[in-house]
Amino acid sequence: MRHSTLWRGGRQARRILSLWLWIGAFGFSVWADEPARAMTPPAGLSEAERQALEKETSPKDHFESCLKIGAGRLAIAAEAVKRENFDAAAQALRVYTGVIDYAQGCARQAAKEKTRQQMLRKLETTLRQHLPLLEWMATAMPECHAGCVRQALNRAKAIRRESLNVFFGGEFLKAGIETTAE
């Protein structure tokens, strides 16, 4: 019985096997990156805010734009609370929560480790500045709208904690320390 050319010396078999491994590894890595590219901006953004996000092509500038939009939405919510327009404040807080979630996703997707670390640090410091205003709104909003502000506050604290934990490694802040009861 003659050996087939596929198994002669094992050379062709190794080539075919390595070709399949390369195709598999490359194919799966491309497939794994798809959700990162498919990330869409949060719902509720104005057309100007959406265009500002689409205009920025570099990850760092896109991230900075997200933080500016989030700060703007938080300012809109605070002004609405001062005017006692709680429906508008709740809507602005929903968009704010979506924007900070989106900004966290942008920071996590940064290709370079140094850029990712800088973005996470910037996100943490920005959220640290937002927390007093969110806590004020939690006390100023009536009970029927308090769920939106509590959700935004809890999400900001959770993202801040996750950013610190990723930045410093391990569990820098424990999960139960900062969360507010809903």
Side-chain angles (χ1 to χ4, degrees), residues 32-101:
D33 288 343
E34 279 304 311
R37 286 189 221 128
M39 198 168 105
T40 58
L45 293 177
S46 69
E47 189 59 33
E49 292 168 335
R50 190 171 299 282
Q51 287 177 357
L53 282 178
E54 291 172 358
K55 181 180 78 172
E56 302 299 341
T57 56
S58 78
K60 212 170 188 179
D61 292 340
H62 190 78
F63 175 76
E64 290 289 332
S65 184
C66 288
L67 294 181
K68 287 177 187 174
I69 290 170
R73 284 300 178 138
L74 190 60
I76 290 170
E79 190 61 36
V81 169
K82 287 178 187 175
R83 289 189 322 256
E84 295 183 1
N85 186 356
F86 300 118
D87 291 330
Q91 179 60 29
L93 285 170
R94 283 187 201 97
V95 175
Y96 169 77
T97 304
V99 169
I100 61 171
D101 280 333

